[in-house]
């Protein structure tokens, strides 16, 4: 690990004053400290934001909920408001990492975590456009079993590893950020980028901005939602494919549908086509199958991950079945 | 025909093991070495720029540290408290599990300088005044370990798990996460909640039994 | 605690208190005053030479004491190869030249006052290479196979006339089975603290073989062995990868000599994929021929496995073939494919784990071809003598194992047709397999001491890697001396103690146990003759014939494995909720620790079956998943019910305590059993491990 200067911010203003091009915010450290040990991240300065008053979960006047950026993943997952109104988010959080890591990781940090692509994570691989822009993408012709089937480019086929972010995308969350130029809100569905020809950029947050909260709008999904995570072992592993599915029903008919997938793209993948295919329809096997098909439309498998197409499709179907109460 | 067998938890469980068996005698010898102290190894290091003050197993500690030093390395290399183990150093195995402010965390990803004012509990701090913690007794009696390297982390996780469960924390395998839905501590719940602690010797079956003992379920 | 401490009793581990208190001292935890920290640096190309290592920046960094490379490392006798005698004495990477032979090979050691300083400095070396062509594709490398050499027995073994018998056979199975490269991943990383005091060297080393490490390092450095002491009272798992003294052990000694300070060199987890061995991948071609009545008349088993370009290691997958079933005609062949990767090594049940996957799968395929119950087929082909040699077994109770296991599992309730058993969404499959592992023992010595205070100390230079050596030796000593086990203290893990063999090959109990018994008998004699404390007596034990061929009996353990799998056919998810196993392993020395060993081995087998695989990037030769997040070993949630038992057996033909050893048999047969159960559930025969969900979708 490179040497760095460490400061601890006591206020949001102090944190914003302390950030700069060679500095990073330190929250739970579960991803940043790991990447620093691997020399993937080499900040010269760390600004510890864990003491900032961003640890509340509170109902909003609109009937939604606001989650502070420093709320630990485990606290969020077990909070009565989240479990009551957004069980999908609770489930997604509980699917991630391990109990120890969930106790450390923060809402903001979870959004900011970086890909687990082998060629990004191990600096011995010198071709990684995300780490070294313009150097190439070793995964494209390499072993790409865990990589993207949707939205990738020929410069980067990495996936975003977060479970929480998939649920936030499905729930149409808003990410509140604060920068020197003021506050703004970024929809969760637009927080993470597609790689395109800028794979070195994971998110649409500016380097001098700080996530302060995530806000969830009210919704009617609590009764019918499900987070499904499919992985190579039963726990403590990243998703091959994951699905956050949520439904609002009028009797047997779908009023609103949300389907977001993890493990398939550089960002949580909202399957809008699949959602539209369900709205106004009876939630039967045929409708679910149509939606599942639509969810992988445009999929482009790589040499080692063709199985993800079928897996994603079937996982969407399964998640919808469980969410709809049929399974 | 013999079977896999284990003895029921003994009544004298809290009396524990000091002085039982010749290896237990060496426990006394280790205690006699005295309380661990700051090795001062890095006293001359120019990067030892940060003072941090925290409580460790009930005692106040003040260290001057290179900010890169993790809690794990502070324990093992500075404070000579080697009960907490380094398995992977990257948050991928759980061998380094300790409690910070009562919650289980991976000490390998915790920068020691972030511990100001916090309460750290390690395996060494579990047994108070020579009496073993029920989790230690349970692991011993259930043979919930083999090589012993992941064991302190497993035991710390076990202690935290019971606490989390009693506070109503759900898990990924809980059928219904909504508050009000009862969560029973089934074997599957224990397995999921202990999955952040890898045991390469494969003592999982006995680990689950030991955790069940501690959680108060007794034998299934 | 519990149990009186007699042999066989489920005595709680005597080292247990230390372990649960966090007070067991492992190699990197010994307090050595003045210790400095060494960090290993590894190559990032698979083949070629180091053109330059510029350490200018590194050497100027805070706390840095030494950057050791091939340019300034101490010159060793025979270019560092004095102890080379594969597979016991490995070819190591000791900075004696600029050659690079695999991606991840050790090429430098950086020493600094703190771990953080050493790690940072290690990242500041400017290394340039001259790359050469590398062999990184197994499918290419196998086109030029090399002859193999087995540790025990010849690489090719024929008995009868398999060719003709196959031609006469009614039914044939002809299939290729593959297993991937794997790595051991014990929880404790390899590590050594090297301390010189004048010309004497002490190594606190994480090892399964203290005397081997001592001899290897002494010979390699060119110093008298009596100048080297190795200490290892506790090792945090080995499974074979700590049986050899790998490069880092000697490098630590070299760095300490050069830096003039003790050096602690601990491997980072990614550094445990390559420099300390792993299991090679295998490609196994099996042809089985049987008659309609189920008698197997012949088999051919050809195995290709990989090794490095600089040392041959053979995974002996045809070893179990020579013993498993009563096939009168057999033809087994092993070949090697050389690649630019780290040299493989013994990994839990070498050959037996991989060979039983292929054989047990092939037998199962034959059962379906014949329309016969797979258990019935195995019983029909039970080997009453060792098939390849005709030798009688020293003791074998496999039939009882099949019977006991089948009964406890409920095998008779199995409906034969694949896909015929379901539970809601899940397809259910039941599989059976035979487990097997040879019995080994080597010469060992011990000393028994009666202390003035009435207690006893017994010592042997053996190891405990979670295997329970401390405990069973205490029990053997206590029973032989006729005293309560609480009065006995057993000590191990020090080359100052009487010599004992490697804790590998499941042979510690079978080797050291008799030596402990001999020493205690000798001490009893002295006591009975009126001797007063302090009093001591030595003892040793050695097998009558170390040479395989000269033995009159075949010595091998067996077991019967039954398991249930559940497959979610839409998502490909595979779970193994239930395993039942019964073993014939000779005498069980401690019921508690034995059960743990069997269970642990089965967990290893499940890892092998379901998830373990080291993935080599074909262009760079670097292992892409060299960490515990992406190299998957089972976690707690992967493991369901595992119920083990054993038959009463006392193999005093093998040694005088009647025990054959149990450390490795647990993994054998498991992958075959899982593959068989998967076929029963789904009708899909998966012939390549691991059985990941993409193979079931």
């Amino acid at each position: 690990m490179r040497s760095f200067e460490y400061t601890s911010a006591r206020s949001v203003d102090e944190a914003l004053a302390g950030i700069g091009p060679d500095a990073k915010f330190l929250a739970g450290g579960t991803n940043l400290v790991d990447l620093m040990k691997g020399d993937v991240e080499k900040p010269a300065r760390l600004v510890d934001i864990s003491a900032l008053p961003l640890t509340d979960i509170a109902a909003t006047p609109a009937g939604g909920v606001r989650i502070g950026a420093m709320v630990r993943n485990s606290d969020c997952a077990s909070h009565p408001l989240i479990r009551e109104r957004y069980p999908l988010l609770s489930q997604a959080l509980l699917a991630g990492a391990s109990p120890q890591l969930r106790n450390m990781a923060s809402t903001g940090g979870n959004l900011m975590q970086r890909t687990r692509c082998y060629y990004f994570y191990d600096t011995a691989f010198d071709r990684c456009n995300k780490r070294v822009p313009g150097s190439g993408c070793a995964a494209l012709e390499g072993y790409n079993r865990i990589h993207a089937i949707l939205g990738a480019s020929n410069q980067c086929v990495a996936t975003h590893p977060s479970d929480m972010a998939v649920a936030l995308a499905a729930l149409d969350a808003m990410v509140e950020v604060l920068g020197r130029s003021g506050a703004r809100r970024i929809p969760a569905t637009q927080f993470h980028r597609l790689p395109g020809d800028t794979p070195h950029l994971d998110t649409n947050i500016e380097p001098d901005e700080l996530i302060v909260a995530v806000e969830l709008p009210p919704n009617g999904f609590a009764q019918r939602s499900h987070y499904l995570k499919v992985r190579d072992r039963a726990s403590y592993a990243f998703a091959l494919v994951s699905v956050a599915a949520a439904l609002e029903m009028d009797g047997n008919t779908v009023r609103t549908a949300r389907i977001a997938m993890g493990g398939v793209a550089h960002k949580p993948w909202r399957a809008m086509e699949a959602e539209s295919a369900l709205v106004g329809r009876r939630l039967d096997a045929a409708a679910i199958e149509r939606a599942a098909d639509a969810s992988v439309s445009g999929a482009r498998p790589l040499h080692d991950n063709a199985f993800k197409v079928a897996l994603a499709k079937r996982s969407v179907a399964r998640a919808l079945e469980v969410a709809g109460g049929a399974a | 025909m013999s079977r896999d067998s284990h003895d029921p938890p003994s009544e004298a469980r809290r009396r524990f093991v000091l002085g039982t068996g010749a290896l237990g005698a060496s426990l006394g010898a280790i205690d006699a070495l005295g309380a661990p102290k700051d090795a001062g190894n890095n006293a001359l290091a120019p990067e030892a720029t940060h003072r941090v003050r925290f409580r460790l197993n009930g005692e106040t500690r003040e260290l001057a540290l290179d900010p890169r030093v993790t809690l794990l390395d502070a324990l093992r290399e500075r404070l000579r408290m080697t009960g907490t183990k380094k398995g992977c150093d990257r948050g991928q195995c759980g061998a380094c599990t300790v409690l910070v402010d009562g919650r289980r965390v991976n000490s390998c990803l915790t920068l020691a300088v972030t511990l100001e004012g916090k309460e750290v509990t390690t395996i060494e701090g579990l047994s108070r005044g020579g009496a073993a913690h029920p989790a230690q007794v349970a692991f011993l009696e259930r043979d919930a370990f083999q090589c012993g390297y992941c064991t302190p982390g497993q035991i710390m996780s076990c202690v935290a798990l019971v606490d989390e469960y009693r506070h109503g924390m759900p898990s990924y395998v809980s059928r219904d996460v909504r508050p009000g839905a009862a969560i029973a501590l089934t074997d599957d719940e224990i397995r999921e909640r202990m999955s952040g602690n890898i045991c390469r010797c494969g003592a999982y079956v006995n680990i689950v039994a030991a955790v069940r003992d501690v959680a108060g379920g007794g034998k299934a | 605690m519990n149990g009186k401490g007699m042999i066989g009793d489920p005595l709680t581990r005597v080292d247990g208190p230390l372990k649960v208190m966090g007070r067991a001292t492992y190699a990197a935890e010994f307090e050595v005053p003045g210790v400095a920290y060494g960090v290993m640096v590894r190559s990032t190309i698979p083949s070629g030479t180091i053109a330059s290592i510029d350490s200018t920046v590194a050497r100027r960094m805070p706390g840095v004491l030494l950057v050791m490379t091939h340019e300034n490392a101490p010159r060793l006798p025979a270019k560092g190869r004095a102890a080379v005698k594969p597979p016991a004495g490995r070819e190591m990477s000791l900075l004696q030249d600029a050659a690079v032979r695999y991606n991840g090979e050790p090429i430098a050691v950086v020493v600094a006052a703190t771990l953080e300083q050493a790690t940072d400095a290690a990242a500041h070396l400017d290394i340039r290479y001259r790359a050469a062509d590398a062999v990184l594709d197994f499918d290419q490398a196998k086109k030029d196979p090399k002859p193999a050499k087995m540790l025990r027995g010849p690489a090719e073994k024929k008995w009868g006339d398999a060719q003709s018998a196959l031609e006469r056979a009614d039914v044939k199975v002809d299939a290729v089975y593959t297993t991937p490269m794997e790595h051991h991943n014990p929880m404790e990383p390899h590590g050594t603290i090297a301390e010189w005091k004048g010309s004497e060297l002490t190594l606190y080393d994480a090892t399964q073989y203290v005397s081997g490490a001592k001899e290897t390092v002494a010979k390699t450095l060119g110093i008298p062995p009596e100048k080297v002491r190795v200490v290892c009272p506790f090792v945090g798992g080995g499974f074979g990868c700590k049986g050899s003294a790998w490069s880092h052990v000697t490098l630590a000694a070299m760095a300490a000599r050069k830096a003039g300070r003790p050096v602690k060199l601990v491997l980072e987890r990614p550094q445990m994929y390559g420099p300390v061995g792993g299991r090679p991948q295998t490609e196994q071609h099996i042809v089985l021929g049987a008659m309609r009545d189920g008698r197997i008349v012949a088999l051919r088993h050809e195995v290709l496995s990989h090794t490095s370009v600089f040392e041959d290691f053979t995974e002996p997958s045809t070893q179990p073939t020579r013993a498993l079933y009563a096939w009168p005609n057999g033809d087994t062949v092993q070949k090697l494919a050389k690649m630019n990767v780290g040299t493989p090594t013994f990994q839990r049940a070498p050959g037996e784990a991989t060979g039983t996957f292929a054989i047990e799968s092939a037998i199962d395929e034959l059962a379906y071809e014949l329309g016969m119950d797979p258990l019935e087929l195995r019983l029909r082909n039970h080997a009453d003598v060792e098939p390849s040699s005709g030798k009688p077994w020293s003791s074998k109770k496999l039939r009882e194992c099949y019977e006991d296991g089948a009964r406890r599992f409920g095998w008779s309730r199995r409906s034969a047709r694949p896909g015929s058993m379901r539970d809601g969404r899940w397809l259910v499959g039941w599989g059976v397999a035979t487990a097997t592992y040879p019995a080994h023992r080597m010469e060992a010595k011990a000393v028994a001491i009666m202390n003035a205070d009435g207690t006893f100390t017994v010592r042997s230079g053996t190891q405990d890697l979670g295997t329970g050596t401390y405990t069973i030796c205490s029990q053997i000593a206590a029973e032989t001396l006729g005293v309560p086990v609480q009065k006995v203290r057993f000590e191990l893990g020090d080359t100052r103690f009487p010599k004992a063999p490697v804790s590998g090959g499941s042979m510690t109990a079978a080797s050291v146990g008799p030596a402990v018994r001999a020493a205690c008998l000798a001490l009893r004699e002295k006591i009975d003759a009126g001797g007063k404390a302090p009093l001591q007596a030595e003892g040793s034990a050695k097998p009558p014939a170390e040479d395989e061929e000269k033995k009159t009996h075949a010595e091998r353990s067996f077991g019967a494995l039954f398991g249930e799998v559940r497959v979610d056919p839409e998502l490909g998810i595979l779970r193994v909720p239930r395993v039942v196993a019964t073993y014939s392993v000779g005498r069980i020395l401690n019921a508690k620790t034995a059960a743990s060993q069997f269970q642990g081995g089965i967990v290893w087998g499940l890892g092998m079956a379901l998830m373990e695989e080291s993935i080599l990037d074909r262009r760079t030769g670097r292992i892409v998943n060299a960490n515990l997040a992406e190299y998957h070993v089972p976690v707690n949630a992967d493991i369901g019910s595992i119920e083990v038992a054993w038959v009463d057996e006392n193999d005093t033909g093998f040694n005088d305590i009647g025990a054959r050893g149990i450390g490795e048999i647990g993994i054998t047969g498991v992958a075959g059993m899982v593959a068989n159960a998967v076929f029963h559930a789904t009708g899909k025969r998966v012939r390549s491990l691991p059985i990941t969900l993409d193979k079931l979708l």
Side-chain angles (χ1 to χ4, degrees), chain C residues 115-168:
Chain C
L115 182 58
E116 295 76 23
Q117 291 166 335
T119 310
D120 196 9
H124 282 83
L125 296 180
D126 183 0
I127 305 173
R128 309 287 164 109
Y129 301 97
R130 231 172 268 119
D133 286 340
V135 181
L136 298 172
D137 186 340
F138 182 74
D139 290 329
Q140 274 300 113
K142 75 186 192 195
K143 291 182 180 155
D144 183 21
K146 305 289 182 221
K149 197 164 165 232
M150 310 258 278
L151 182 62
R152 295 181 178 87
E156 293 192 18
K157 198 164 177 116
K158 287 182 179 8
W159 60 98
D161 181 353
Q163 185 60 38
S164 326
L166 281 171
E167 278 157 24
R168 284 185 286 114

Side-chain angles (χ1 to χ4, degrees), chain C residues 17 32 96 130 140 358 394 398 465 511 549 585 602 625 679:
Chain C
V32 175
Q96 299 297 291
R130 231 172 268 119
Q140 274 300 113
S394 61
L398 177 55
L465 36 154
S511 308
E549 300 299 313
V585 291
I602 290 171
N625 60 336
F679 179 79

Side-chain angles (χ1 to χ4, degrees), chain C residues 364 368 373-375 378 405-423 427-433 561-567 574-580 672-682 685:
Chain C
D364 207 65
Y368 284 99
D373 176 279
L375 175 58
R378 287 169 171 80
R407 184 182 47 80
R408 289 191 297 121
F409 183 81
W411 184 258
S412 59
R413 287 180 279 121
R414 179 181 188 262
S415 73
R417 193 176 48 81
S420 61
M421 293 176 73
R422 290 195 82 108
D423 181 4
L427 291 171
V428 177
W430 287 5
V432 59
L561 274 168
F562 298 84
E564 173 177 307
V565 307
R566 286 171 176 240
V567 178
L574 169 59
R575 299 268 181 260
V576 187
R578 192 162 72 106
V579 177
V580 168
M673 179 269 286
V674 172
N676 296 341
V678 167
F679 179 79
H680 183 236
T682 65
R685 173 64 62 179

Side-chain angles (χ1 to χ4, degrees), chain B residues 1-8 10 15-27 30-31 33 37 39 41-47 66-70 73-74 76-78 80-95 123-127 130-133 135-152 154-155 173 187-188 190-208 211, chain C residues 1-3 10-26 28-35 37 61-63 113-117 120 183-189 234-237 239 261 264 266 268-270 272 347-348 400 404 407-408 456 464-467 470 485-490 582 591-597 599-601 603-604 607 612 627-648:
Chain B
M1 196 75 66
S2 311
R3 295 287 204 95
D4 55 308
S5 59
H6 49 255
D7 296 291
S10 75
R15 173 171 47 80
F16 198 44
V17 298
L18 291 169
T20 310
L23 271 181
S26 67
L27 226 63
I30 290 167
D31 276 342
L33 283 177
K37 49 192 182 296
N41 230 2
N42 65 336
L44 299 173
E47 315 96 328
D66 180 334
R68 295 174 296 185
V69 176
T70 60
D73 285 324
R76 286 172 66 77
E77 308 301 328
R78 304 303 204 270
R80 302 276 189 262
M81 290 176 63
T82 55
T84 309
K85 307 301 183 190
K86 179 180 286 191
C88 73
D89 209 32
R90 308 291 288 263
Q92 299 167 358
C93 77
I123 189 74
E124 292 94 339
L126 266 202
S127 42
H133 190 283
Q136 290 169 311
V137 177
F139 269 69
L140 186 65
E141 307 213 323
R142 291 287 184 177
D143 207 37
F145 58 93
Q146 290 173 34
C147 80
Y149 198 76
C150 77
T151 307
Q154 300 278 357
I155 292 173
V173 305
D187 280 358
D188 280 343
I190 292 174
R191 290 173 182 131
E192 165 61 21
R193 292 162 192 256
M194 289 299 290
S195 282
N197 290 82
I198 295 180
C199 172
R200 190 50 162 156
C201 293
Y204 294 128
V205 171
N206 293 349
I207 289 171
V208 171
V211 174
Chain C
M1 296 285 311
N2 36 47
L11 183 72
T12 295
R13 282 176 213 256
V14 301
D15 55 330
L18 287 176
K19 287 173 174 173
V20 300
M21 303 281 275
R23 291 189 188 280
T25 309
Y26 300 81
E29 299 168 355
F30 280 89
E31 195 169 327
V32 175
V35 74
Y37 293 82
M61 290 173 67
T114 73
L115 182 58
E116 295 76 23
Q117 291 166 335
D120 196 9
H183 285 87
H184 307 65
N185 283 299
M187 289 315 296
E188 179 203 21
F234 293 98
V235 53
F239 314 109
R261 280 183 57 175
K264 171 165 23 183
V266 178
E268 296 161 17
R269 180 61 55 171
M272 294 166 68
Q347 177 157 339
R348 200 165 196 176
E400 291 88 326
D404 181 67
R407 184 182 47 80
R408 289 191 297 121
F456 295 83
D464 190 328
L465 36 154
T467 37
Y470 276 112
V485 72
Q486 290 78 12
K487 293 259 181 204
V488 174
R489 179 195 177 89
F490 185 76
T582 308
K592 207 175 207 181
T593 59
S596 293
Q597 270 288 39
Q599 286 170 353
V603 170
W604 262 72
E612 290 186 50
N627 60 71
L628 286 175
E630 296 303 329
Y631 183 96
H632 292 142
V633 302
V635 293
N636 203 317
D638 290 308
I639 304 303
S641 157
I642 303 178
E643 293 177 349
V644 302
W646 48 86
V647 299
D648 284 326

Side-chain angles (χ1 to χ4, degrees), chain C residues 441-518:
Chain C
R441 55 180 291 216
M442 292 176 72
E443 178 170 8
K445 299 183 162 123
V447 63
I449 302 162
M450 179 166 77
N451 302 311
D453 63 0
T455 64
F456 295 83
T457 304
V458 181
R459 296 183 175 137
S460 179
T462 180
Q463 294 77 210
D464 190 328
L465 36 154
T467 37
T469 313
Y470 276 112
T471 308
I472 56 164
C473 288
S474 301
Q475 289 173 270
I476 292 169
E479 185 168 302
T480 309
L481 291 166
V483 303
V485 72
Q486 290 78 12
K487 293 259 181 204
V488 174
R489 179 195 177 89
F490 185 76
E491 296 178 344
L492 53 74
D494 194 327
T495 48
R496 287 185 179 170
F497 298 163
K499 195 164 170 195
V502 61
S503 285
S506 301
M507 67 171 136
T508 297
S511 308
V512 177
V516 166
R517 185 164 181 275

Side-chain angles (χ1 to χ4, degrees), chain A residues 146-158:
Chain A
I146 63 171
H147 293 72
I149 51 169
L150 289 161
S153 76
N154 61 6
Q155 292 196 31
C156 182
V157 295

